[in-house]
Every structure is written in structure tokens, then in C-alpha cells.
Amino acid sequence: LPCQRCGKHGVQVAHSNSQADGKGMGIKAWPWKVAALCPSCHTEIDSGKNLSKLERREAWLEAHIKTLSELFARGLIRPV
């Protein structure tokens, strides 16, 4: 998948940083709480100084929704 924020290729799996999504000290969020992001967008959302905490959460959530939508559209994941 391309980056679900900027469209670049060469993405990473960006896990949610929210405790509500299973994140804890030294523990990644649940495996389905991910977004396809390029390294630049991943860094900006995780620790960027140009976005507020709320803006970072909203950007990750939007990329997460786009990631899941793209995976469903490609038939790579299916509802059960």
C-alpha cells in the first residue's frame, strides 16, 4: 500500500499509540490497530512538533481507516 496520508511508497506499519487500542509500556497496540504510513508521516504522527496531540491522533485515525478500507477493497481482509 502507499502511505495513507501522503501517497508515497515505502510504508511502515504504524501502530496506534492509544491505551484504548491495547498500547502499554513496551507493548504495541492490537495488531489490527495499524496504519500504512511512510517514515516521514509515521514520525510526524508519533512525535512531530508541527501537530498538536489531537491533530496527531486524528491524522493516525484517518490513515488507519484508509488503510483498512484499502485492504478490504483489495480483498486482502474480509468481514466475517
Side-chain angles (χ1 to χ4, degrees):
L1 299 179
C3 178
Q4 297 301 295
R5 185 165 182 242
C6 73
K8 290 181 185 175
H9 290 277
V11 300
Q12 302 173 337
V13 174
H15 292 84
S16 170
N17 288 326
S18 174
Q19 283 183 316
D21 294 331
K23 172 75 173 124
M25 291 291 279
I27 300 170
K28 295 283 186 190
W30 296 315
W32 59 90
K33 290 294 190 164
V34 295
L37 295 171
C38 70
S40 297
C41 288
H42 191 171
T43 299
E44 183 70 19
I45 288 174
D46 271 358
S47 59
K49 296 177 178 105
N50 297 325
L51 301 173
S52 70
K53 188 173 185 177
L54 178 60
E55 289 171 325
R56 291 195 318 264
R57 284 182 186 167
E58 290 174 347
W60 182 88
L61 182 58
E62 184 177 340
H64 169 66
I65 291 168
K66 287 180 177 181
T67 298
L68 291 183
S69 295
E70 186 63 28
L71 291 172
F72 272 109
R74 293 179 182 210
L76 297 171
I77 55 175
R78 298 184 188 136
V80 291

